[in-house]
Amino acid sequence: MEAPQYVAARVQQALAEDGRTHELGIRVDVRGDQLFLRGQVSGAEQRDRLGEVAREAAPELHLHNEIRIVEVSAPGEDEHLD
């Protein structure tokens, strides 16, 4: 069986290099047969795509997509705090 750090590195590389994601800021943790994705993205579609790519890179693991979606305000918009 492949060492967890190698599986994590393989998934990380897939997320960085896959044309659907090109994502560098996602943390990948492997514990036993569990794969955890953590980080922040700006939309649900990107989050789902990251999960897809990770699942393809390590289909033998149970995926936990814990990536949070962060609303990004458009440039030039003032943030209004109540």
Side-chain angles (χ1 to χ4, degrees):
M1 194 158 129
E2 211 176 352
Q5 64 267 31
Y6 292 125
V7 180
R10 186 175 75 225
V11 173
Q12 194 98 53
Q13 186 173 7
L15 297 180
E17 294 178 357
D18 193 287
R20 292 167 289 175
T21 50
H22 287 304
E23 192 66 58
L24 295 169
I26 299 301
R27 281 210 331 275
V28 178
D29 290 315
V30 175
R31 295 203 194 104
D33 64 350
Q34 311 292 308
L35 172 66
F36 296 87
L37 299 183
R38 297 191 178 100
Q40 297 180 341
V41 294
S42 58
E45 260 177 53
Q46 180 69 347
R47 179 182 186 268
D48 293 345
R49 279 196 298 268
L50 287 161
E52 263 173 49
V53 172
R55 198 174 281 120
E56 290 167 15
E60 70 281 7
L61 299 180
H62 298 289
L63 176 66
H64 299 275
N65 191 339
E66 298 179 355
I67 297 170
R68 291 193 329 214
I69 297 161
V70 179
E71 295 300 321
V72 178
S73 55
E77 265 185 36
D78 291 330
E79 285 193 27
H80 298 287
L81 301 175
D82 293 328

